[in-house]
Amino acid sequence: AVVGAGLGGSAVAYFLQQHFGPQVQLDVFEAAGVGGRLATVTVNKQQYESRGASIHALSLHMQDFVKILGLKHRREVAGKSAIFSGEHFVLEETDWYLLNLFRLWWHYGISFLRLQMWVEEVMEKFMRIYKYQAHGYAFSSLEELLRSLGGDAFVNMTQRSVAESLLEVGVTQRFVDDVIAAVLRSSYGQSVLVPAFAGAMSLAGAQGSTWAVEGGNKLVCSGLLKLTKANVIPARVMGISLHSSEGRALYQVHYEGSEGQGSAFYDMVVVTTPLHPSRSNFTFENFEPPIADFPGAFQPSVTSVVHGYLNSSYFGFPDPKLFPFASILTTDTPDLFFNAMDNICPVNISTAFRRKQPQEAAVWRVLSQQPLDKQQLKTLFRSYYSVQVTEWQTYPRYDAAKSLPPIVLHENLFYLSGVEWVASSMEMIAVAAKNVALLAYNRWHQDLEKIDQKDLMHKVKTEL
């Protein structure tokens, strides 16, 4: 059984079938809708991503999924970004790459180069995971996985802030306050106190090239579930109780759907929805020792998709025709009531499509911590036709975590969503899904040589 049909659930179902073979029977429980947070909203008969909008170029599992499913990359529509302090723009992107570099250098010295070197070093080590997974190696804890990639330094990066790590490598406080804060507010809705590893992943996405799936990123989830012929059960899982049969653990999954309550027995269960008390009232019965409560809280975040006319004079452009930006990030200023906003394109982009001019009515996505009130909407928009609000508890409150959640809850009971406490992105979840599938397979077949091996870089080289 797989609990949840977001990206984690659909990817783990696919990987489990890859390893165990086509005869494996997969039940996927989903109460809301396939795709989870990769949801879309409809404005004027067009669909738009409401979250999970872009995928980093180095996301190899996501690239693979798109290829296997015959999906396409969405056409890029260029647009410039700027960082707003509440009073003025502290940094503006131009059409000229060299001028952008010059501006960064002029404002911040070599801080942006130091940042780039730091992010590249982290990413280079992180990319080792694909080699390990290609050779069938798995990890039974998030700490072991991180250690195999970057030693204790990677584990420590989940315990100290991104600000501290960057200041240490010579990035200036001003660059951290202006640029790093803006990127983290737009991706996690949090400050520069998020852990260094989560910060590095978010910054890699901000400076690399990104892409999205034509038709919507959620097509990856529905596509993978179709491909594995998984049996999707529209029901909410309420709990799991442990039984045993012939010395083997059996898990009874209790669920509630439109037909009422039911339960079924499984050899193996993967939970891909957050198990924190604030997010689910999941119960575990007959486990000895009992499965403990998961500490930590989640960050509320609100997406408002607004179809309307931007109030460009709020940003210092009385003439809307002259407003040049498609996306606005913000610094950590107490008076600012939004984290970021961007002029978004639909999930299906025709060749004739052009982005709306700033004086025209466009579809804007505004990210904030609280729902926007009438006055705040009036501040950002001269007028608007519609506002669609989605409230999420998307990301872990990173400052609240003291330790990482476990992957193995019991013999053949696994927890996938804990990876979000390391970093939260589509690719991170896909990597965790592959790890859980390999771990389940290696444990089932007692292939302990393939779990938590030390010095894997050396081992993989000799295998090659």
Side-chain angles (χ1 to χ4, degrees):
V2 175
V3 182
L7 181 61
S10 42
V12 86
Y14 167 74
F15 287 132
L16 282 168
Q17 194 191 56
Q18 277 228 301
H19 295 294
F20 282 95
Q23 73 283 5
V24 71
Q25 287 181 305
L26 290 159
D27 283 355
V28 179
F29 292 90
E30 175 54 62
V34 170
R37 284 172 293 180
L38 303 185
T40 52
V41 298
T42 307
V43 182
N44 274 359
K45 298 184 184 154
Q46 293 266 32
Q47 287 195 331
Y48 296 84
E49 304 274 7
S50 60
R51 278 311 294 213
S54 59
I55 304 162
H56 191 271
L58 295 175
S59 302
L60 302 191
H61 286 321
M62 289 299 287
Q63 297 271 25
D64 265 358
F65 295 157
V66 166
K67 213 179 276 157
I68 292 158
L69 297 171
L71 296 169
K72 291 192 184 77
H73 283 211
R74 197 180 308 166
R75 188 166 73 82
E76 277 280 321
V77 180
K80 295 196 279 281
S81 309
I83 298 174
F84 185 62
S85 73
E87 287 169 2
H88 60 275
F89 285 111
V90 294
L91 192 63
E92 302 179 18
E93 202 183 359
T94 70
D95 286 328
W96 291 69
Y97 175 70
L98 287 175
L99 185 53
N100 290 335
L101 283 185
F102 178 73
R103 281 184 172 187
L104 278 168
W105 175 78
W106 183 254
H107 283 300
Y108 305 107
I110 61 167
S111 278
F112 74 98
L113 277 177
R114 289 187 164 140
L115 166 73
Q116 223 158 354
M117 283 160 68
W118 181 76
V119 169
E120 273 171 22
E121 190 189 343
V122 173
M123 287 307 288
E124 200 175 309
K125 288 178 176 163
F126 175 73
M127 298 298 282
R128 294 172 177 174
I129 192 65
Y130 299 110
K131 264 208 180 93
Y132 299 165
Q133 292 188 335
H135 285 75
Y137 288 105
F139 305 93
S140 66
S141 73
L142 293 166
E143 287 85 354
E144 282 292 335
L145 187 149
L146 288 169
R147 209 168 272 122
S148 77
L149 299 173
D152 285 337
F154 263 25
V155 180
N156 293 342
M157 283 177 76
T158 65
Q159 302 300 328
R160 55 192 309 227
S161 76
V162 66
E164 197 184 331
S165 299
L166 287 173
L167 293 170
E168 216 169 77
V169 296
V171 172
T172 62
Q173 186 68 52
R174 187 174 164 217
F175 189 75
V176 168
D177 291 343
D178 288 2
V179 180
I180 307 299
V183 172
L184 294 173
R185 276 167 67 83
S186 76
S187 57
Y188 290 135
Q190 291 169 68
S191 76
V192 293
L193 297 177
V194 309
F197 196 87
M201 288 296 173
S202 165
L203 291 159
Q207 61 181 163
S209 55
T210 58
W211 55 280
V213 178
E214 172 70 18
N217 295 329
K218 66 179 181 186
L219 294 182
V220 170
C221 304
S222 50
L224 289 174
L225 290 173
K226 247 193 212 106
L227 189 65
T228 52
K229 299 188 170 64
N231 175 29
V232 179
I233 300 169
R236 190 171 63 83
V237 172
M238 288 129 62
I240 297 170
S241 51
L242 174 64
H243 303 267
S244 65
S245 148
E246 296 162 16
R248 245 207 161 113
L250 265 189
Y251 303 97
Q252 188 176 12
V253 173
H254 304 269
Y255 58 89
E256 186 171 25
S258 53
E259 321 266 285
Q261 296 189 352
S263 74
F265 285 93
Y266 298 94
D267 296 303
M268 193 176 283
V269 180
V270 182
V271 179
T272 74
T273 58
L275 284 176
H276 293 72
S278 65
R279 291 287 303 273
S280 67
N281 40 7
F282 219 85
T283 57
F284 292 101
E285 283 167 35
N286 308 342
F287 288 91
E288 206 47 63
I291 292 172
D293 262 353
F294 291 75
F298 278 76
Q299 176 75 15
S301 81
V302 179
T303 303
S304 307
V305 175
V306 183
H307 180 211
Y309 296 89
L310 184 74
N311 177 18
S312 58
S313 53
Y314 169 63
F315 297 103
F317 286 82
D319 183 351
K321 282 197 187 73
L322 301 176
F323 187 80
F325 306 115
S327 81
I328 301 154
L329 309 180
T330 59
T331 57
D332 212 340
T333 311
D335 300 344
L336 272 173
F337 53 88
F338 70 102
N339 293 337
M341 62 187 292
D342 51 343
N343 175 343
I344 52 176
C345 300
V347 297
N348 295 97
I349 295 182
S350 64
T351 41
F353 179 84
R354 64 171 183 83
R355 203 188 280 279
K356 289 275 196 283
Q357 295 301 305
Q359 70 274 20
E360 299 177 292
V363 177
W364 288 83
R365 178 175 48 210
V366 186
L367 306 178
S368 57
Q369 257 135 12
Q370 307 293 332
L372 302 176
D373 61 31
K374 281 257 166 30
Q375 195 45 54
Q376 291 166 335
L377 282 164
K378 270 212 170 99
T379 303
L380 295 177
F381 298 94
R382 285 181 292 144
S383 65
Y384 50 87
Y385 298 111
S386 67
V387 182
Q388 294 184 56
V389 181
T390 319
E391 292 190 49
W392 322 71
Q393 295 227 329
T394 354
Y395 299 114
R397 274 276 310 282
Y398 284 109
D399 54 3
K402 292 292 162 273
S403 61
L404 298 172
I407 295 174
V408 181
L409 300 181
H410 189 259
E411 227 168 285
N412 292 308
L413 173 60
F414 304 96
Y415 181 43
L416 190 141
S417 302
V419 73
E420 296 204 59
W421 292 87
V422 174
S424 184
S425 69
M426 287 184 248
E427 187 64 9
M428 245 356 241
I429 288 166
V431 162
K434 175 84 170 172
N435 180 61
V436 164
L438 283 167
L439 182 61
Y441 180 78
N442 294 339
R443 283 170 71 104
W444 188 262
H445 293 287
Q446 296 290 300
D447 191 354
L448 305 182
E449 289 291 290
K450 290 283 191 187
I451 301 172
D452 295 338
Q453 283 296 325
K454 301 284 173 270
D455 196 18
L456 262 185
M457 265 323 269
H458 178 69
K459 270 202 174 67
V460 167
K461 277 196 182 113
T462 49
E463 279 185 30
L464 287 173

